[in-house]
């Protein structure tokens, strides 16, 4: 009976077997479905993900464009630099670290500082201990060679090439060229769409900032095969898809209108002075040949490569100096022009028909107007317009404003015609507009009150009247060339790295100034006398072989300066500003020059000699570069050898 009846344990076994078989079938169906999903439906996507694990896209750095002067001399370029990166968590402090220190050749103090940094990061719970950190910037080439030779002994250590901006002329022309800074987090958010990443450097000031989009270039990339540890492996055919590489596009080169040799000549001429600015302009084109601000700074220290501490120290010195080396005194600083403004007051009176240039005015050393006495430099006696400009008689110009109707509005209108009181539009650094005050402006500024004394000050370039060095240079260029006011130009052409001109910028005229040629000629003759007449305020500063016409200026900046006091005996910041503005040669002018010596005192003693030295250097360079021309490029032998630098104000 037991042989016929089915056993209960066998039935239970079969039931369990069926469930197991069913489970296996379901699992196999799930596995097949999953494989179908991964390999058929999502196959292309998964292949791409797998490929990304072994194929990396490496960025190829671009080359920033060169900046050259008008003759092709390099003013700014990128030099190779190498930074050392380590991963704190992975570096062996017992075996690898002593070798790394030996190969770098660091001193005891620096080694202790770096060890403390690594120890702190290794003990922390933050992500930085497992990430690459910058350990040392701009290591020497000998150290780079040693580290690469012993690369196998230094796991977790990488040497990364980083281009650093280099300025071979250092402080000369630094304000015009500018410098580079590492892009900060706030600016990076704005620039990320343009391809900038962490660690990139961007132009901060000057031409580097204004022409950043031209100079920067475009990064490239290439696809490389890597192993599980991220190390590059050769090969990749059939794995790496095309395109495998996109070459970087180098930045455009810039050719400036500046002359490096002229810049050096200006720097040399300004060495005796503490602070100021100089501009040398081609009167026929508006192109800037020289632009120099003092005190200057070394853009190499600010642009990186020597470490963040060096940058911090450089900026601290820059902004703690009372002479304000960070300020571009040719463009960003506005100053009272003093007597260099008198030619424009004279033109305003002549154009309005308010004066007869032959009529003399008696100067007794001062003019009393109301309750105030307006003083002159000394007693000139009877002077006409010609003598008043050449000898810088204040009283003559006081009378124009006080008695002959040459008011503030008339003076301001003529100044504005010559571009004063408005930004030039150079676009390199933050530019001051200067000020040509009007009667309405002075009334508003003085709570509804206007005093005629304001007009007397305006007539001699004092009071609220201010200009920049560049504005005044362009204005004197217009005086020299017959009334053409040019747009200033500092970049002449954009070029490829091979030297092919991509874009060249022609001179641009801002306006043709509507002024009578006869009146302009009267002013030009007076400016010539200001240098070449024995009574001229720049006569003692003349240089043999330099034919110049111009005007000195001594602009008062403090009421604490006692009348007749020597500038050298007064506290520096109470001294007057020294000016000279002129052009050369006096006939068929080529260049206009303006010199400002901040708190220098007398313009004839401090500013005029600088101007003559600069123009002499220009003439000498012109002769050297054009030996077949046979001429002296504007030089003249009419003047006598220059005596000592004791000049009239």
């Amino acid at each position: 009976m037991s042989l016929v009846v089915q056993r209960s344990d066998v039935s239970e076994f079969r039931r369990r077997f069926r469930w197991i078989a069913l489970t296996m079938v379901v699992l196999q169906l799930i596995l097949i479905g999953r494989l179908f999903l991964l390999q058929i439906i999502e196959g292309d996507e998964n292949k791409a993900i797998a490929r990304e694990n072994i194929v990396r896209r490496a960025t190829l750095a671009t080359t920033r464009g060169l900046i050259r002067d008008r003759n092709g001399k390099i003013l700014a370029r990128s030099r190779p630099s190498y930074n050392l990166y380590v991963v704190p968590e992975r570096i062996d402090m017992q075996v690898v670290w002593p070798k790394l220190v030996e190969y770098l050749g660091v001193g005891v103090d620096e080694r202790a500082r770096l060890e403390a940094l690594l120890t702190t990061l290794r003990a922390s719970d933050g992500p930085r201990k497992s990430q690459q950190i910058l350990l040392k910037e701009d290591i020497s080439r000998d150290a780079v060679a040693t580290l690469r030779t012993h690369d196998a002994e230094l796991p977790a250590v990488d040497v990364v090439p980083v281009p650093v901006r280099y300025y071979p002329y250092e402080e000369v022309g630094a304000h015009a060229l500018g410098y580079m800074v590492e892009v900060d987090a706030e600016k990076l958010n704005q620039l990320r769409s343009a391809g900038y990443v962490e660690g990139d450097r961007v132009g901060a000031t000057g031409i580097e900032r204004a022409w950043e989009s031209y100079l920067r270039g475009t990064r490239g990339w290439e696809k490389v095969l890597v192993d599980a540890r991220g190390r590059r492996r050769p090969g990749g055919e059939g794995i790496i898809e095309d395109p495998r590489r996109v070459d970087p596009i180098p930045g455009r080169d810039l050719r400036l209108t500046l002359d490096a040799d002229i810049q050096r000549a200006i720097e040399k001429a300004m060495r005796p002075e503490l602070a100021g600015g100089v501009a040398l302009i081609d009167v026929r084109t508006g192109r800037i040949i020289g632009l120099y601000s003092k005190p200057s700074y070394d853009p190499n220290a600010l642009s990186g490569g020597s470490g963040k501490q060096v940058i911090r120290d450089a900026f601290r010195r820059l902004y703690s100096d009372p002479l304000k080396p960070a300020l571009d005194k040719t463009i960003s600083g506005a100053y009272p022009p003093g007597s260099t403004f008198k030619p424009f007051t004279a033109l305003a009176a002549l154009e309005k028909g308010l004066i007869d240039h032959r009529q003399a005015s008696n100067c007794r050393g001062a003019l009393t107007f109301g309750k105030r006495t307006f003083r002159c430099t000394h007693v000139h006696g009877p002077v006409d317009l010609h003598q008043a400009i050449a000898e810088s008689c204040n009283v003559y110009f006081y009378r124009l404003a006080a008695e002959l109707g040459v008011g503030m509005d008339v003076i301001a209108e003529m100044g504005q015609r010559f571009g004063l009181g408005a930004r030039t539009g150079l676009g390199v650094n933050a530019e001051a507009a200067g000020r040509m005050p009007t009667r309405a402006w002075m009334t508003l500024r003085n709570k509804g009150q206007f005093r005629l004394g304001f007009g007397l000050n305006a007539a001699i370039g004092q009071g609220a009247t201010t200009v920049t060095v560049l504005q005044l240079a362009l204005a004197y260029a217009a005086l020299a060339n017959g009334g053409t006011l040019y747009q200033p130009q500092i970049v002449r052409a954009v070029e490829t790295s091979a030297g092919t001109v991509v874009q060249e910028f022609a001179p641009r005229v801002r306006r043709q100034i509507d002024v009578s040629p006869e009146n302009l000629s009267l002013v030009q003759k007076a400016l010539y006398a200001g240098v070449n007449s024995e009574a001229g305020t720049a006569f003692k500063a003349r240089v043999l072989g330099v034919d110049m016409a111009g005007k000195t200026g001594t602009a008062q900046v403090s009421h604490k300066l006692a009348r007749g006091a020597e500038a050298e005996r007064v506290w520096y910041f109470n001294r007057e500003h020294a000016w000279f503005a002129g052009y050369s040669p006096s006939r068929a002018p080529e260049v206009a020059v303006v010199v400002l010596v901040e708190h220098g005192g007398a313009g004839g003693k401090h500013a005029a000699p600088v101007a003559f030295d600069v123009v002499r250097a220009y003439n000498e360079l012109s002769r050297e570069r054009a030996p077949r021309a046979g001429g002296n490029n504007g030089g003249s032998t009419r003047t006598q050898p220059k005596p000592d630098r004791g000049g009239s104000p």
Side-chain angles (χ1 to χ4, degrees):
M1 188 67 181
S2 61
L3 294 174
V4 178
V5 179
Q6 186 177 2
R7 292 175 55 183
S8 60
D9 55 346
V10 174
S11 177
E12 181 66 21
F13 173 78
R14 288 178 176 175
R15 187 168 54 256
R16 291 181 179 181
F17 178 79
R18 284 196 297 268
W19 280 109
I20 292 172
L22 180 61
T23 302
M24 294 297 294
V25 170
V26 171
L27 290 175
Q28 287 182 359
L29 290 174
I30 293 173
L31 180 60
I32 292 170
R34 182 60 177 168
L35 290 173
F36 181 81
L37 176 67
L38 295 175
Q39 295 185 10
I40 306 301
I41 298 177
E42 299 179 353
D44 293 340
E45 181 181 351
N46 291 324
K47 284 179 183 178
I49 294 173
R51 189 180 295 108
E52 287 179 2
N53 290 330
I54 59 172
V55 177
R56 299 283 173 83
R57 196 163 93 161
T59 299
L60 302 176
T62 184
T63 304
R64 191 173 179 85
L66 302 176
I67 301 177
R68 294 186 174 93
D69 82 336
R70 64 194 304 197
N71 301 305
K73 293 185 177 180
I74 295 177
L75 302 177
R77 62 178 176 85
S78 296
R79 67 171 177 84
S81 172
Y82 297 89
N83 293 346
L84 183 71
Y85 289 83
V86 300
V87 180
E89 188 178 49
R90 291 175 53 199
I91 190 167
D92 189 332
M93 299 299 291
Q94 303 301 320
V95 178
V96 175
W97 176 246
K99 291 182 180 179
L100 180 59
V101 169
E102 179 185 352
Y103 297 152
L104 288 174
V106 299
V108 176
D109 293 341
E110 187 175 7
R111 175 175 179 169
R113 180 180 63 81
L114 295 176
E115 280 185 0
L117 173 64
L118 290 174
T119 301
T120 301
L121 291 174
R122 286 162 63 88
S124 69
D125 295 328
R128 291 191 66 197
K129 71 177 183 179
S130 59
Q131 298 174 349
Q132 279 190 333
I133 65 162
L134 176 62
L135 193 69
K136 190 171 177 60
E137 290 181 287
D138 200 17
I139 61 179
S140 68
R141 292 194 176 188
D142 291 341
V144 172
T146 303
L147 291 172
R148 287 183 171 172
T149 302
H150 299 85
D151 182 61
E153 305 172 18
L154 303 171
V157 177
D158 283 318
V159 177
V160 179
V162 178
V164 171
R165 203 63 165 165
Y166 175 63
Y167 304 89
Y169 289 85
E170 297 178 342
E171 295 188 359
V172 179
H175 292 87
L177 293 175
Y179 59 88
M180 307 282 292
V181 294
E182 185 174 338
V183 60
D184 57 29
E186 180 180 352
K187 198 167 186 67
L188 183 61
N189 291 332
Q190 304 171 8
L191 298 176
R192 199 179 290 276
S193 60
Y196 288 82
V197 297
E198 290 82 354
D200 276 358
R201 293 189 176 274
V202 64
T205 61
I207 292 168
E208 294 280 21
R209 178 194 63 81
W211 295 80
E212 169 73 16
S213 59
Y214 287 83
L215 291 165
R216 179 175 176 263
T218 305
R219 284 189 178 88
W221 51 265
E222 66 174 344
K223 297 174 183 177
V224 297
L225 196 65
V226 298
D227 60 17
R229 296 185 178 182
R231 295 176 296 190
R232 289 195 181 191
R233 295 298 182 189
E237 291 77 8
I239 300 176
I240 301 178
E241 296 179 335
D242 291 330
R244 297 186 62 163
R245 179 185 176 95
V246 173
D247 291 325
I249 301 173
R252 299 300 191 191
D253 295 349
L254 298 180
R255 185 176 293 271
L256 306 186
T257 63
L258 295 177
D259 188 316
D261 293 326
I262 291 294
Q263 291 286 90
R264 279 182 164 174
I266 296 174
E267 186 272 335
K268 181 179 179 182
M270 283 289 288
R271 283 177 190 172
E273 311 301 342
L274 289 178
V278 179
L280 186 70
I281 307 288
D282 189 327
V283 304
R284 301 158 296 187
T285 61
R287 287 173 174 151
I288 301 172
I289 302 171
L291 199 64
Y292 178 78
S293 177
K294 184 177 182 178
S296 188
Y297 55 84
D298 185 359
N300 293 303
L302 301 177
S303 292
S306 300
K308 290 182 172 56
Q309 187 59 45
V310 172
I311 296 175
R312 284 193 290 268
D313 292 343
F315 273 110
R316 184 162 50 249
R317 289 192 300 270
L318 200 61
Y319 288 101
S320 62
D321 191 329
L323 296 179
K324 300 180 179 179
L327 178 70
D328 185 347
K329 293 177 171 61
T330 62
I331 298 174
S332 304
Y335 306 84
S339 294
T340 61
F341 186 74
K342 289 176 181 176
F344 305 103
T345 303
L347 272 177
L350 289 168
E351 287 293 296
K352 291 291 184 181
L354 299 174
I355 61 170
D356 180 349
H357 68 92
R358 294 163 295 188
Q359 185 175 354
S361 176
N362 190 31
C363 171
R364 298 179 179 177
L367 176 69
T368 301
F369 190 77
K371 297 181 180 180
R372 185 177 172 187
T373 299
F374 294 84
R375 300 189 181 278
C376 195
T377 54
H378 61 276
V379 177
H380 289 92
V383 292
D384 58 14
L385 177 66
H386 180 89
Q387 294 170 298
I389 295 176
E391 301 175 24
S392 201
C393 177
N394 289 345
V395 168
Y396 182 92
F397 289 92
Y398 290 149
R399 287 206 169 103
L400 293 186
E403 302 170 5
L404 300 177
V406 187
M408 293 194 75
D409 291 343
V410 174
I411 295 170
E413 190 270 337
M414 181 56 67
Q416 289 166 358
R417 282 200 218 177
F418 280 85
L420 304 177
R423 294 178 178 87
T424 67
L426 183 63
V428 171
N429 287 320
E431 187 174 2
R435 187 186 304 117
M436 287 290 107
T438 61
R439 183 186 182 100
W441 186 88
M442 291 298 295
T443 302
L444 183 64
R445 187 188 183 201
N446 289 275
K447 300 179 180 179
Q449 296 182 355
F450 180 81
R451 294 190 279 279
L452 291 177
F454 296 154
L456 273 68
N457 281 329
I460 63 166
Q462 289 282 176
T465 302
T466 59
V467 301
T468 69
V469 171
L470 182 61
Q471 283 177 348
L472 196 59
L474 292 166
Y476 266 76
L479 286 176
N481 65 29
T484 302
L485 183 65
Y486 281 98
Q487 178 76 26
Q489 182 183 353
I490 199 169
V491 177
R492 181 160 186 167
V494 178
E495 302 174 343
T496 66
S497 56
T500 304
V501 175
V502 176
Q503 186 176 7
E504 187 164 8
F505 303 100
R508 292 173 54 197
V509 176
R510 290 170 67 186
R511 71 177 68 96
Q512 190 66 44
I513 302 168
D514 183 16
V515 61
S516 165
E518 292 77 15
N519 292 335
L520 191 58
S521 178
L522 290 173
V523 171
Q524 290 171 342
K525 290 176 181 177
L527 292 174
Y528 178 81
V531 173
N532 298 283
S533 168
E534 289 190 12
T537 56
F539 181 76
K540 292 183 179 180
R542 294 171 309 146
V543 171
L544 180 65
V546 178
D547 179 16
M548 181 95 79
K551 183 76 190 73
T552 61
T554 306
Q556 187 176 359
V557 296
S558 172
H559 296 294
K560 296 180 181 180
L561 184 65
R563 183 169 181 257
E566 295 183 15
E568 290 77 5
R569 298 179 180 272
V570 179
W571 186 56
Y572 177 79
F573 291 102
N574 282 343
R575 298 177 190 173
E576 298 156 324
H577 294 319
W579 285 94
F580 180 85
Y583 52 86
S584 176
S586 59
R587 296 175 179 83
E590 297 178 15
V591 292
V593 60
V594 169
V595 176
L596 163 71
V597 179
E598 235 182 29
H599 306 291
K605 184 177 180 180
H606 292 275
V610 173
F612 276 95
D613 287 346
V614 171
V615 174
R616 176 172 56 183
Y618 169 82
N619 290 342
E620 291 173 352
L621 287 167
S622 297
R623 286 193 293 267
E624 291 173 7
R625 292 166 181 171
R628 297 179 183 177
N632 61 2
N633 291 288
S636 173
T637 57
R638 284 186 245 175
T639 57
Q640 300 299 317
K642 183 179 72 171
D644 61 81
R645 288 194 168 187
S648 57

